[in-house]
Amino acid sequence: MWILGLNTPPAGWHDTAACLIDGDGRVVAFSEQERHSRVRHAIAEEGSQPVDAVAYCLAQAGITLRDVAVVAVGWDDRQLFPGRFADDRHFLQEALGSSFDAGHVPELVRVPHHRAHAASSFYASPFTKAAVLVADGNGENESTTIWTFADGSEPVLHHSWPRTASLGYAYNAASVWLGFNHLNAGKTMGLAAYGRARGLEVDRLVKVGGGDYQLAVAPLAERPGRSTDDDLGRDYQRMLLAWRAVYSKVAGADGPTAPLERLHEDPAAVLVAYTAQRIVEDVMGELSRAAREAAGVEELCLAGGIALNCSANGQLPGPVFVPPVPHDAGVALGAAWTVRPPVRREGPISPYLGVAVGGTGDRAPEQETSGLARSEASVERITDLLLDHRVGAVAQGRAEVGPRALCHRSIIALPDTTDVHTRVNRIKDREQWRPFAGVTRPDYGSRLWERQEHLNRYMLGAARATAHADAVAPGVVHVDGTTRPQVLEGDEAPVVGAVLDRLSVLGHPAVLLNTSFNGRGEPIVNTSYDALRAFRKMDLDFLVLGDVLYEKRNR
């Protein structure tokens, strides 16, 4: 039995994705459409269906759509588009685009958005029972939910907040006020750290207590009956305008006065970013406590776009798990697992589920490689390059899923100076005030930052850096004294793991700067072709592509 999970239009209008699981709930393949189309977030437009992601998943399993028994979608489109589709065949034709096989109509299962989010986190976790907190922009009619999930039992929904009480809307409005795209919330989070570092006192625009919260922008009047897509659009625009007015009042201005590259120098911009950040931190802190109380366990899973907020995640006590795909792409996985939960779970999910270098779906390099020196990718040579303060990239094995590069599609460097921070931001054409993450081994990680049992697996929690980290890895310590660590437990990332081990043997600090391998405005590289193209375009010194090392001769 094969089950294909999707995040797809018409409801899934960004971060479209496909996931294929077998009859035991084992994930065979998972890929986001942006990695194939090279259009970041695969925002809803002509051709944004996850057709390439679907094709990859099917090819990885060696099957066709005729072998798929069930298609599970992480939205209930009937709530938002009543009467739009005459039947399941009509829906699948739109959802699958050119992938649709008119001769075979698999069973269609519509999974409510937040339930799919919750399933994607719990079943990816090592827990057998957990409280699950989902927070995002909106689902069909909700923006925040609390659940209990347990193996062998139906999930229990304890509490739901309407989409007009959305933390995502509040944070999006701050991002737009700052001049960012509403999908660039990570920039807002990075800027907010300057407010924390400066000890700013901010207006608390939310009241929390009793397992509930009330935002400064009062929820709009709820409409009777089911909401439609038109209602959602109107609500979003009204809430966005209301929140922007609040931030303008807080800042005493309608927008920043500094350009994007110098926002950290603009007191009003820092104030707005930190004000929005505190809203999220206050609510997530209160609701995590309430979720644990409702479930009767300390184990907590997070999902939804808000779960990408590493700063807020890192402040939560106790065991906290966030999957590598907590954003909307993850509902493809959660929808599939709602149909068939995994029979056997041997620990947290591996994030390496995408296209493999040299494997199914890989697009081989076609560019001329003149000017590049080619050799075997030996750990000795790569380590020597890094110790010589060269900056390189790695594209090896199956691509990781989610927005964090986890050493299969990464840019790496030695973080022993702040100069490397400046250079890598320049290489990626990013604002200089944006931070970088560090990667290390478990034993050395305990010397660099606070322990995070699960969050550091996928780089999804900010941790307080130690004085030792300040001394040996200043390139990955943000202005507020935190970093977003990744810890490699075994050989899941062979090149980076081997380099870390060799650094240790040579007596050097076993830590590297790790950031996503992509240029400005682009998704993380996917195929060999993408990797070599990006390497030539960017001011990088070397590239590990599979088992081959490329170096630029003029370096």
Side-chain angles (χ1 to χ4, degrees), residues 257-271:
T257 57
L260 293 182
E261 62 269 18
R262 298 211 317 273
L263 279 186
H264 64 301
E265 299 173 2
D266 185 338
V270 173
L271 178 62

Side-chain angles (χ1 to χ4, degrees), residues 118-170:
S120 75
S121 187
F122 173 71
Y123 293 120
S125 80
F127 308 142
T128 57
K129 182 179 181 181
V132 184
L133 172 57
V134 180
D136 62 3
N138 62 271
E140 292 82 8
N141 289 294
E142 62 285 308
S143 62
T144 310
T145 50
I146 289 176
W147 306 74
T148 294
F149 269 67
D151 284 339
S153 301
E154 277 294 304
V156 176
L157 174 62
H158 297 288
H159 202 113
S160 175
W161 286 262
R163 64 182 187 230
T164 48
S166 169
L167 294 178
Y169 290 1

Side-chain angles (χ1 to χ4, degrees), residues 21 45 48 60 70 82 131 217 241 257 296 321 332 340 345 348 363 385 434 453 466 504 513 541:
I21 66 173
E45 56 187 10
S48 66
Q60 182 68 23
V70 180
V217 172
L241 288 172
T257 57
F321 179 85
R340 185 54 167 159
R345 291 195 285 150
R363 184 182 175 192
L385 288 167
R434 294 177 62 187
E453 185 176 358
T466 64
S504 181
L513 179 153
D541 298 309

Side-chain angles (χ1 to χ4, degrees), residues 141-142 161-165 219-225 227 235 238:
N141 289 294
E142 62 285 308
W161 286 262
R163 64 182 187 230
T164 48
L220 305 173
E222 293 299 305
R223 297 180 178 85
S227 296
D235 286 352
R238 290 168 65 191

